[in-house]
Coordinates of all heavy atoms in Angstrom, one line a residue:
Y13 N -17.0 -14.7 -33.7 CA -17.6 -15.7 -32.8 C -17.4 -17.1 -33.4 O -17.4 -17.3 -34.6 CB -19.1 -15.4 -32.5 CG -20.0 -15.6 -33.7 CD1 -20.5 -16.9 -34.0 CD2 -20.5 -14.5 -34.4 CE1 -21.4 -17.1 -35.0 CE2 -21.4 -14.7 -35.4 CZ -21.9 -16.0 -35.7 OH -22.8 -16.2 -36.7
R51 N -23.2 -1.5 -38.4 CA -21.9 -1.3 -39.1 C -20.8 -2.2 -38.6 O -19.7 -2.1 -39.1 CB -21.5 0.2 -39.1 CG -22.4 1.1 -39.8 CD -21.9 2.5 -39.8 NE -22.8 3.4 -40.5 CZ -22.6 4.7 -40.7 NH1 -21.4 5.2 -40.2 NH2 -23.4 5.5 -41.3
D104 N -13.6 -20.3 -57.5 CA -14.3 -20.1 -58.7 C -14.2 -21.4 -59.6 O -13.1 -21.7 -60.0 CB -13.8 -18.9 -59.5 CG -14.6 -18.6 -60.7 OD1 -15.4 -19.4 -61.1 OD2 -14.4 -17.5 -61.3
A254 N -0.5 -25.7 -20.4 CA 0.9 -25.3 -20.6 C 1.0 -23.8 -21.0 O 1.9 -23.1 -20.6 CB 1.5 -26.2 -21.7
N289 N 15.7 -21.4 -40.7 CA 16.3 -21.6 -42.0 C 15.8 -20.6 -43.0 O 14.9 -19.8 -42.7 CB 15.9 -23.1 -42.5 CG 14.4 -23.3 -42.3 OD1 13.6 -22.6 -42.9 ND2 14.1 -24.4 -41.6
V302 N -1.3 -24.9 -33.5 CA -0.6 -23.6 -33.7 C -1.0 -22.7 -32.6 O -2.2 -22.5 -32.3 CB -1.1 -23.0 -35.1 CG1 -0.5 -21.6 -35.3 CG2 -0.6 -23.9 -36.2
F308 N -1.8 -5.7 -29.3 CA -2.4 -4.6 -30.0 C -1.7 -3.3 -29.7 O -2.3 -2.2 -30.1 CB -3.9 -4.6 -29.7 CG -4.6 -5.8 -30.2 CD1 -4.9 -6.8 -29.4 CD2 -5.0 -5.8 -31.6 CE1 -5.6 -7.9 -29.9 CE2 -5.6 -6.9 -32.1 CZ -5.9 -8.0 -31.3
S310 N 0.3 -0.5 -26.7 CA 0.1 -0.1 -25.4 C -1.1 0.7 -25.3 O -1.5 1.5 -26.2 CB 1.3 0.8 -24.9 OG 2.5 0.0 -25.0

Side-chain angles (χ1 to χ4, degrees):
Y13 71 80
R51 293 185 180 181
D104 185 347
N289 51 55
V302 175
F308 295 97
S310 299

